[in-house]
Amino acid sequence: MKEFWLITRYLTARKIFNLITRSLGRMLSRITRRYINIGMPWSYSIEPCDICNLHCKECVSGLGVIRRRRGRIKMDDYRHAVDEIAPYATNLFLYFQGEPTMHPDFPEMVRYAHDKGIFTATSTNGHYLDEELSAKIAASGLDKMIVSLDGYDQETYAAYRAGGDFQQVLTGIRNLAAAKKRIGTKTPLIEVQTLVTKINEDNLPAIRKVAMDAGADLHYYKTMQIENPEDFEVFKTSIDRYSRYDANNCLKNPVGYCRRIIDSAVITIDMDVLPCCYDKDAQLKLGNLRNNTLREILKSETAKKIISAIEYDRDKRPEICRNCGG
């Protein structure tokens, strides 16, 4: 609810009209079973970098198996991307693959989008939130900071966040909370998220207490996406409501009609526009912002063909849809 009210501060007549138009197109598409491409997506992700300091067990970036260029987005490219989404974006997620705070200009990136009138959020493993960076982030206008914390001590935390330091993450949360207090701001909301696994499922209240004691504003338990078959035995929780998978390790709720590819779009470090945040290797490129405008890309025949195939030819959906929980 806090996040909703923060988003409403950035709404303009043009953005509201776009939301209504896109929602109408989505509704008509479902009725007619034909992609009606009116309006523009309203939710965007821009990737600051696709490199990471950790080696999380289900992450293509952390494991080093991502099959595209590793690096950071150029600031000129970033500004251009923000300028393109600004008329339509109700929110911008400054993350995709990798650890966003490893980009040296991360606070400047936030400030630029904030000044363009866009709700901004990011997700971090928390290891780079020292006092200096925390102060810059608190002053940048960032609206929400998601911090991943999947354990209640070093052993349970590092079981998934390989190479991570539990105490360093807690210190990062404290640093950001203290920076907010010093300058008298309520943002960014600090939302700690916990992937529920077989390893930590017996100690979830302890993780929540640790997070809130460190200075989190919100705490959520999150279901885990498991890509590697051998990891089901290691990580799959026995708590049914926190598991995406049934007894046979199949998705309990496979995506039918996909709202994600209608309402959102992703922009990579190389300015490729993707339909979905599950396309981690950028296999379904709709276009590139160095060559065309965002509107040209999202209204193109390429976009229509890819989105229509995902929505209405489900037997031929790409591999990225196989393990998508929506």
Side-chain angles (χ1 to χ4, degrees):
M1 185 58 71
K2 292 179 181 178
E3 181 177 340
F4 171 79
W5 290 113
L6 284 173
I7 290 175
T8 61
R9 298 188 309 173
Y10 298 99
L11 291 179
T12 63
R14 182 175 182 179
K15 290 181 181 182
I16 293 171
F17 179 75
N18 181 67
L19 270 167
I20 294 170
T21 304
R22 195 67 172 176
S23 298
L24 177 62
R26 173 163 31 84
M27 182 178 66
L28 293 174
S29 296
R30 294 195 70 173
I31 293 171
T32 62
R33 293 189 57 79
R34 181 173 62 87
Y35 178 42
I36 298 176
N37 189 7
I38 57 176
M40 292 283 283
W42 48 267
S43 177
Y44 295 87
S45 297
I46 298 179
E47 182 178 56
C49 61
D50 62 358
I51 55 178
C52 190
N53 57 308
L54 301 187
H55 309 287
C56 302
K57 301 298 178 67
E58 299 297 319
C59 175
V60 295
S61 177
L63 293 177
V65 296
I66 195 168
R67 292 173 290 183
R68 55 187 174 92
R69 186 180 74 85
R70 311 301 300 275
R72 298 171 173 84
I73 195 170
K74 296 177 181 178
M75 281 301 293
D76 286 345
D77 281 345
Y78 171 77
R79 295 186 190 98
H80 175 56
V82 172
D83 291 346
E84 286 284 319
I85 72 170
Y88 324 105
T90 61
N91 52 272
L92 168 61
F93 299 108
L94 280 167
Y95 60 93
F96 177 33
Q97 301 305 301
E99 169 52 44
T101 59
M102 290 181 72
H103 197 296
D105 299 314
F106 180 77
E108 182 184 343
M109 297 170 74
V110 174
R111 172 55 63 184
Y112 189 80
H114 174 78
D115 289 347
K116 289 286 183 176
I118 306 172
F119 173 94
T120 53
T122 194
S123 180
T124 178
N125 60 46
H127 285 75
Y128 291 91
L129 295 176
D130 57 19
E131 291 185 2
E132 181 181 0
L133 182 58
S134 295
K136 290 179 179 178
I137 289 174
S140 69
L142 185 69
D143 292 290
K144 185 170 81 167
M145 171 73 83
I146 299 169
V147 183
S148 299
L149 186 71
D150 308 315
Y152 55 91
D153 59 14
Q154 178 61 27
E155 183 179 1
T156 54
Y157 173 77
Y160 177 70
R161 303 281 169 185
D165 187 317
F166 175 73
Q167 289 299 332
Q168 191 171 341
V169 180
L170 292 184
T171 299
I173 297 170
R174 295 188 189 105
N175 286 339
L176 187 56
K180 287 169 54 179
K181 187 174 182 179
R182 278 197 305 273
I183 65 175
T185 180
K186 294 183 179 180
T187 57
L189 293 175
I190 303 173
E191 178 183 304
V192 171
Q193 290 187 356
T194 297
L195 288 175
V196 179
T197 69
K198 183 177 182 179
I199 296 163
N200 65 22
E201 63 184 14
D202 293 330
N203 298 91
L204 298 181
I207 300 174
R208 171 166 285 172
K209 185 177 187 309
V210 165
M212 299 307 289
D213 287 350
D217 299 300
L218 304 163
H219 177 266
Y220 286 106
Y221 300 121
K222 186 178 179 182
T223 62
M224 181 177 179
Q225 179 187 16
I226 302 176
E227 291 282 4
N228 302 312
E230 63 271 18
D231 287 338
F232 278 98
E233 180 63 29
V234 179
F235 292 115
K236 182 185 171 186
T237 178
S238 63
I239 305 175
D240 186 64
R241 64 173 170 159
Y242 293 133
S243 177
R244 300 186 187 191
Y245 307 97
D246 61 21
N248 296 316
N249 296 336
C250 297
L251 277 176
K252 291 188 292 187
N253 301 300
V255 172
Y257 182 81
C258 182
R259 291 185 56 169
R260 187 187 299 267
I261 59 170
I262 304 296
D263 294 339
S264 63
V266 175
I267 301 168
T268 72
I269 60 169
D270 289 319
M271 300 290 275
D272 290 320
V273 179
L274 312 178
C276 173
C277 63
Y278 273 66
D279 188 10
K280 300 169 186 179
D281 283 319
Q283 297 172 317
L284 302 178
K285 295 175 181 151
L286 305 182
N288 189 283
L289 283 175
R290 292 174 184 153
N291 304 322
N292 297 97
T293 68
L294 182 68
R295 176 171 284 276
E296 288 171 343
I297 291 168
L298 294 175
K299 298 297 182 182
S300 68
E301 283 301 310
T302 299
K304 180 179 179 180
K305 184 182 297 185
I306 289 174
I307 293 172
S308 295
I310 291 173
E311 293 290 29
Y312 308 116
D313 196 357
R314 293 174 189 168
D315 291 337
K316 296 182 180 179
R317 277 182 165 176
E319 182 67 16
I320 63 168
C321 298
R322 176 187 59 80
N323 199 19
C324 176

